Amino acid sequence: MKRFVILVSLLAAATPLNAQSVGERLFMKNCIACHGVTGHGDGPRAIHLKTRPADLTRIAARREGVWPILEVMSILDGYMKVTNPREDMPVFEGFLDNDMVEFDTGNGMTTMVPAKLIAVANYLETIQNPKPTRYVP
């Protein structure tokens, strides 16, 4: 399936190739305490949580190679807490308080979503092991 096209002027700004991406910086700032620097769920706070943090490098692997970007964004923005509560997973409202950008949902429609939310979801895609083989909204 064609990879989702994201029009993000903020992320397209010229940066050195070795610089951290916006998504990686947000991950390092907000997620490593529980999920660890590498995203394996082994952060320093992990042992104190009721539910072990997910291994974020295996999201696609747990879904037979499918990268579910909308599901990932729903978990990050807290929307899924209503139907899939993760008691210790905080809602990152800071991911929602920023510039809105167009996002292709995969069905030929675009919608406006927070740039930071997409940036973190895109970063998580880059750490998948193995890499996703298919994409769904």
Side-chain angles (χ1 to χ4, degrees):
M1 176 185 237
K2 179 181 149 190
R3 187 150 194 239
F4 297 106
V5 177
I6 301 169
L7 305 172
V8 183
S9 59
L10 173 68
L11 300 177
T15 57
L17 292 177
N18 62 352
Q20 282 184 324
S21 69
V22 171
E24 184 177 6
R25 283 194 307 269
L26 289 166
F27 178 84
M28 294 299 170
K29 179 180 178 185
N30 296 283
C31 308
I32 65 171
C34 298
H35 293 282
V37 173
T38 59
H40 291 286
D42 58 355
R45 291 195 52 217
I47 61 172
H48 303 291
L49 302 175
K50 291 180 183 177
T51 304
R52 178 181 166 92
D55 180 344
L56 300 178
T57 68
R58 307 282 299 160
I59 296 168
R62 288 191 296 268
R63 289 159 181 80
E64 299 179 0
V66 174
W67 179 247
I69 193 164
L70 291 179
E71 178 185 347
V72 170
M73 291 188 326
S74 291
I75 292 167
L76 291 169
D77 72 11
Y79 182 75
M80 297 266 310
K81 273 189 123 24
V82 176
T83 59
N84 191 9
R86 290 169 172 84
E87 197 171 313
D88 297 316
M89 175 72 176
V91 173
F92 292 103
E93 294 174 3
F95 291 174
L96 307 178
D97 183 24
N98 61 43
D99 295 328
M100 302 293 280
V101 296
E102 287 184 344
F103 175 73
D104 180 348
T105 61
N107 61 0
M109 305 280 291
T110 60
T111 188
M112 299 302 285
V113 297
K116 288 180 184 176
L117 183 61
I118 292 175
V120 174
N122 284 341
Y123 172 70
L124 292 176
E125 180 187 346
T126 70
I127 66 170
Q128 295 307 291
N129 185 21
K131 298 295 181 199
T133 57
R134 294 176 293 154
Y135 297 83
V136 297

